[in-house]
Amino acid sequence: MTSPDRPHRNFYGRLKGKALKKSQKTYLDQDLAQLSPGAVGWDENPERTPLDLRARFGDRPIWLEIGFGGGEHLVHQAAQNPDVGIIGAEPYINGVAMLLGKIRRAGVDNLAVHPGDARDLFDVLPDNSIARAFLLYPDPWPKKRHHRRRFVTPEHLQPLARVMQPGAVLRVATDIPDYVRQTLEEVPKAGFAWQAQRPADWRRPWGDWLSTRYEQKALREGRTPHYLTFTRQG
C-alpha cells in the first residue's frame, strides 16, 4: 500500500504570539501529548490511517470544536457533557497553552487536543464520526481578496461534511455580517440545512452557550453576534 501524497496547504493564521509563561510551557510539556486524539500529523501518520476514536473515548458521541481560541467554550462543554468526548483543534500554540491550564483547573477528562491545522485532523477522522461541531468566531479575513482563506469554503466544508454523521449539528457564531452571508451561501452547498425558522433563532445564543472573550470584545465594540445552526443532511 502506498502512502497518499501530502497535499500542499497554505496556512495563513498565527501559530505563536507573545512569549509563553513558565506555567504554560509546563502545561505543554506535561499535558499535551497525553491529550492527543491519536496520530494526526503527516510525519507520524503518512498513510492517513483513521483515528481509533473508540480507543480514546469508548462509546461516547464525539464532538469537535474547530479553532477553540483560549478554550473557555471547549472546557465549558466538556464539563457540562461528561458523557461526550470532545476534540479541539487549534494551531495557535498560545491558545493551546491557555486551554491546558483551563483543563487542569476544571479537572475534565473527556477532551482531546490537536494543536494544528483542522484539515490534517479531517484527513484521519473516520467517516460519520462527529455528532456535533462548533465553529465559533473564526478568523473573519475581512478583505475581499482574502475571503477564500475563510473556513466556510469548500476546502474545509467538504471534509467536515464527510466526517459528520447524518443529522449532526453544526454551530457557527460570528459577528461579521459578510461572514454570515458567506456561511449561509456555502454551508448548505456542502450538505447542511440551516435550522432557523424565526429571527430569534439566529439572534439569541444557544441555551448552553458560554460567551467567549472574543464575543465580549465584539459586543463592547458594537458588533452583533449571529448564532447559526445547521444539520448535516444524509
Side-chain angles (χ1 to χ4, degrees):
M1 177 179 178
T2 59
S3 299
D5 293 331
R6 183 170 188 166
H8 175 71
R9 287 171 173 160
N10 290 319
F11 183 79
Y12 299 102
R14 289 189 303 169
L15 294 175
K16 190 172 184 180
K18 61 184 180 180
L20 297 172
K21 299 176 182 177
K22 183 178 179 180
S23 61
Q24 292 177 326
K25 292 180 180 178
T26 299
Y27 302 152
L28 290 169
D29 291 341
Q30 295 183 359
D31 299 353
L32 183 57
Q34 65 188 17
L35 290 170
S36 171
V40 175
W42 279 81
D43 292 340
E44 60 183 342
N45 186 358
E47 295 184 352
R48 314 314 286 151
T49 301
L51 299 176
D52 185 352
L53 298 178
R54 183 180 293 272
R56 183 69 178 80
F57 292 114
D59 292 328
R60 291 167 167 165
I62 310 300
W63 294 359
L64 171 67
E65 184 165 343
I66 303 157
F68 53 72
E72 56 264 47
H73 175 266
L74 186 60
V75 171
H76 168 74
Q77 290 290 352
Q80 295 296 310
N81 299 279
D83 57 339
V84 169
I86 310 181
I87 303 172
E90 173 62 64
Y92 184 51
I93 199 64
N94 297 65
V96 174
M98 293 173 64
L99 168 69
L100 297 180
K102 292 181 175 70
I103 290 174
R104 281 197 177 197
R105 290 188 289 275
V108 292
D109 62 0
N110 55 331
L111 279 172
V113 182
H114 168 55
D117 194 326
R119 291 172 295 184
D120 291 338
L121 180 62
F122 293 154
D123 288 343
V124 294
L125 283 173
D127 291 357
N128 305 319
S129 59
I130 301 300
R132 181 171 297 184
F134 305 93
L135 179 67
L136 308 176
Y137 294 101
D139 195 323
W141 295 110
K143 295 181 180 179
K144 187 173 182 179
R145 68 177 184 271
H146 291 158
H147 286 184
R148 60 185 174 81
R149 300 180 181 181
R150 290 174 170 175
F151 185 91
V152 288
T153 56
E155 179 185 7
H156 301 89
L157 292 173
Q158 290 174 1
L160 174 63
R162 177 188 64 79
V163 304
M164 293 187 69
Q165 300 167 358
V169 173
L170 170 63
R171 293 180 176 180
V172 182
T174 180
D175 59 316
I176 307 300
D178 188 67
Y179 207 105
V180 174
R181 175 200 60 77
Q182 189 171 350
T183 299
L184 293 177
E185 288 180 357
E186 297 296 333
V187 173
K189 292 178 185 177
F192 295 86
W194 188 29
Q195 296 302 296
Q197 297 181 351
R198 57 188 68 85
D201 292 339
W202 70 82
R203 292 175 178 170
R204 294 176 184 170
W206 302 283
D208 59 352
W209 175 242
L210 177 73
S211 185
T212 64
R213 291 176 306 147
Y214 184 93
E215 180 171 277
Q216 291 304 309
K217 180 175 184 288
L219 291 170
R220 290 194 302 270
E221 296 177 358
R223 297 191 297 276
T224 302
H226 295 72
Y227 308 94
L228 309 177
T229 304
F230 301 86
T231 57
R232 177 73 173 97
Q233 302 301 286

